[in-house]
Amino acid sequence: MKTICMYFEIHQITHLKRYRFFDIGTDHYYYDDYENERSITYIAENSYMPALSAIQEMIRSSEGAFKVAFSLSGVGMEQLEMYAPQVLDKLQELNSTGCVEFLTEPYSHGLAGLANEESFKRDIEKMSDKIEQYFGKRPTVMRNSSLIYTDDIGAQVAALGYKGMLTEGAKHVLGWKSPHFVYNCNLAPSLKLLLRDVNLSDDISLRFSNTSWDRYPLFADTYMNDIASCPESEQVVNIFMELSALGIAQPLSSNILEFLKALPACAKERGLEWATPSEVFDKFPSVGAIDVPDTLSWVDEERDCSVWLGNQMQREAFNKLYSVADRLLIAKDPRLLQDWDYLQASNNFRFMTTKPSNWWIDRGIYDGAFDAFTNYMNILGDFISRVRTLYGGIDNEELENMLTTITNQGKEIETKTKEIERLQARLAKYEAAEDEREKAAKKPAAKKPAAKKPAAKKTVAKAAEEKK
């Protein structure tokens, strides 16, 4: 039976305010609170809440047959906590159905995986902690910001213990292969991969309301016919998109939610089933490795990282930001660490793009790419000055020694934690056996059946009497 895996990303940038050169050193607050509240409130009302309510109805009407996955960025969750907590409440309701899986991703929704391995690791684990705190289960599947992936990133994620990742089913990576199978990382075979079906995903997220599209209007039964008509041997169809596609990119007036709600019934009629990424990984073995030596993402025709790092301005900002990454690993200042998360968000670099294909991009307060670069670099100048003020007395060699010590201490703690868990398991086993022995000792001994008395030997006189 062919399986459909549907996933939605939930992320919102923290908008930066207009920050002048003369603010450096005097103003350490970088954010546009009004725009942050306005944008997240608008998206929550016009996309997140209606879409999540529709998904809840799909689970209920299908009696649990419909399954779905979400990943949230930490910076996005912080915006929701402040301005739209009802979205998180709705996600917790969905979690209680048992039909939803929450994946992990970098807390900052940043590009640390391309710059600093230790920062990338901490970003992922920080997000996993927050997901476990909210939804009661630690994620076992990871997706990187904008599905960014390379063989090296896959190896890093596998080393952290995750069993699978989501990424893009780009033609230049797959070649003649189909995205409708489970694959694995080239450098870490234990890490399974799900590849987005570009066409089927974009039919919903990009083209659904486009009246000039040759398939407009798209109906649920037509869409499911496309999936059912895939070769029988193909295992899983992966439909990945941003949740804001439902209501923002595709307005509610386009009947996008009515289309969505009709999908489970249409799938059932065609013998198709739904599954979360973890369920897919448990059900299907990998058919082979895919080789991704260069960066892969789900953005633009190139499916690479050029939208964030394609010009000199972006690379300069990126390199300057991550030049202090190692120093942030030993930072304890909550305000500094929060700024670090917000400044890493990939959207900050996308505002600086000069790619012709992104001429329509909404740059918010910025007049253009150079304006976005100038504003960001002013903020970054103040931020780095604060980092150096706190940790400027540490030279690189001393910093390296401190990081090595921290890493070794972390490994030692992990080893001791595992040893404690092993001893606790042995103790529990011993105590259970001791309880069984005590119960057995308290039971009364079973009474033995009384021995039969041997028949008395007849006397000679009595035998003689009987003969008479």
Side-chain angles (χ1 to χ4, degrees):
M1 182 180 291
K2 195 173 274 73
T3 300
I4 305 171
C5 181
M6 181 168 272
Y7 151 82
F8 295 100
E9 170 201 284
I10 300 177
H11 163 66
Q12 279 301 305
I13 186 176
T14 302
H15 293 274
L16 303 177
K17 70 181 182 181
R18 179 65 68 179
Y19 194 91
R20 309 292 181 184
F21 175 80
F22 298 103
D23 294 326
I24 299 174
T26 61
D27 182 3
H28 305 316
Y29 190 77
Y30 312 135
Y31 313 109
D32 186 340
D33 291 335
Y34 172 80
E35 180 58 23
N36 285 323
E37 181 175 6
R38 186 206 65 79
S39 60
I40 194 67
T41 301
Y42 177 81
I43 292 172
E45 292 177 355
N46 292 277
S47 172
Y48 290 169
M49 288 304 293
L52 293 175
S53 295
I55 290 170
Q56 188 174 38
E57 183 179 334
M58 292 163 73
I59 293 172
R60 185 168 50 246
S61 64
S62 67
E63 298 180 342
F66 177 72
K67 307 286 183 68
V68 67
F70 297 97
S71 76
L72 299 86
S73 69
V75 295
M77 287 185 74
E78 289 184 16
Q79 293 292 307
L80 293 172
E81 286 169 340
M82 285 189 286
Y83 303 121
Q86 69 273 21
V87 175
L88 295 172
D89 292 340
K90 179 62 72 173
L91 286 168
Q92 288 175 323
E93 288 179 25
L94 287 169
N95 183 50
S96 66
T97 66
C99 298
V100 174
E101 179 178 9
F102 290 92
L103 315 184
T104 196
E105 68 166 78
Y107 190 97
S108 65
H109 198 79
L111 307 172
L114 304 175
N116 188 291
E117 183 174 344
E118 191 62 29
S119 292
F120 185 52
K121 172 185 174 181
R122 296 206 178 183
D123 222 6
I124 295 170
E125 294 299 88
K126 183 178 179 181
M127 191 67 244
S128 290
D129 290 342
K130 196 169 184 72
I131 292 295
E132 186 175 22
Q133 172 193 344
Y134 260 89
F135 304 110
K137 186 176 180 182
R138 196 167 189 82
T140 59
V141 178
M142 189 259 176
R143 58 90 62 185
N144 201 2
S145 312
S146 301
L147 299 189
I148 293 173
Y149 177 82
T150 65
D151 292 332
D152 289 336
I153 288 175
Q156 292 174 42
V157 171
L160 296 177
Y162 294 91
K163 66 181 179 182
M165 263 190 92
L166 276 54
T167 189
E168 179 75 341
K171 290 181 180 178
H172 70 274
V173 169
L174 284 171
W176 56 269
K177 297 177 183 177
S178 168
H180 300 158
F181 292 96
V182 175
Y183 294 92
N184 65 265
C185 173
N186 193 32
L187 299 181
S190 63
L191 186 81
K192 293 183 176 180
L193 302 173
L194 289 182
L195 309 184
R196 186 176 84 112
D197 185 304
V198 176
N199 290 329
L200 288 170
S201 300
D202 289 352
D203 281 350
I204 298 176
S205 63
L206 296 183
R207 293 185 282 268
F208 184 81
S209 61
N210 183 0
T211 56
S212 61
W213 180 34
D214 60 1
R215 300 193 66 194
Y216 178 87
L218 179 64
F219 294 103
D221 54 355
T222 305
Y223 188 76
M224 282 300 160
N225 285 339
D226 293 341
I227 296 176
S229 64
C230 293
E232 188 64 30
S233 61
E234 296 185 351
Q235 301 167 331
V236 57
V237 176
N238 303 305
I239 303 168
F240 305 158
M241 68 192 77
E242 297 179 12
L243 185 63
S244 60
L246 310 178
I248 302 299
Q250 308 305 320
L252 297 179
S253 59
S254 68
N255 293 321
I256 184 69
L257 296 185
E258 285 67 26
F259 166 84
L260 194 73
K261 288 186 283 188
L263 293 180
C266 292
K268 184 178 180 181
E269 290 172 2
R270 290 154 181 80
L272 306 173
E273 66 176 7
W274 305 84
T276 63
S278 283
E279 290 173 340
V280 173
F281 289 139
D282 291 340
K283 181 178 179 181
F284 298 113
S286 168
V287 297
I290 57 168
D291 186 17
V292 190
D294 300 317
T295 51
L296 172 67
S297 79
W298 70 357
V299 178
D300 290 350
E301 287 296 321
E302 296 86 352
R303 312 292 177 187
D304 59 11
C305 290
S306 58
V307 71
W308 304 288
L309 302 174
N311 63 46
Q312 186 60 40
M313 292 185 296
Q314 292 170 311
R315 291 189 292 272
E316 181 178 345
F318 178 81
N319 292 334
K320 187 170 184 180
L321 174 68
Y322 285 101
S323 69
V324 295
D326 288 341
R327 294 177 185 270
L328 268 298
L329 294 175
I330 60 173
K332 301 296 182 184
D333 185 336
R335 175 73 179 276
L336 200 66
L337 291 173
Q338 185 180 58
D339 291 339
W340 171 242
D341 288 334
Y342 294 166
L343 293 177
Q344 284 187 85
S346 62
N347 312 64
N348 293 313
F349 299 96
R350 189 168 189 176
F351 291 148
M352 305 175 199
T353 186
T354 51
K355 292 182 67 175
S357 59
N358 281 263
W359 63 269
W360 48 267
I361 190 171
D362 181 5
R363 300 181 198 267
I365 63 172
Y366 305 124
D367 296 329
F370 183 72
D371 188 29
F373 169 74
T374 302
N375 200 70
Y376 184 80
M377 293 302 281
N378 286 341
I379 291 173
L380 196 55
D382 183 78
F383 175 75
I384 291 177
S385 176
R386 290 163 57 204
V387 173
R388 288 175 176 165
T389 299
L390 286 175
Y391 306 103
I394 304 174
D395 60 30
N396 290 334
E397 184 176 352
E398 185 180 356
L399 177 63
E400 185 66 30
N401 291 334
M402 290 179 66
L403 292 174
T404 300
T405 300
I406 292 169
T407 301
N408 291 339
Q409 287 176 344
K411 290 180 180 178
E412 185 177 351
I413 291 171
E414 185 179 353
T415 300
K416 289 183 177 180
T417 300
K418 289 180 180 178
E419 180 65 14
I420 291 170
E421 290 174 351
R422 185 182 69 81
L423 292 173
Q424 286 176 336
R426 286 185 62 184
L427 178 62
K429 188 176 180 181
Y430 172 80
E431 289 175 343
E434 189 65 24
D435 288 343
E436 289 296 324
R437 284 194 290 269
E438 289 179 2
K439 289 179 182 177
K442 290 178 181 178
K443 287 183 179 179
K447 293 183 178 180
K448 295 182 179 179
K452 293 182 179 179
K453 293 182 179 180
K457 292 184 179 179
K458 296 180 181 179
T459 64
V460 176
K462 190 172 183 180
E465 186 68 27
E466 288 178 354
K467 285 182 180 181
K468 293 179 179 181

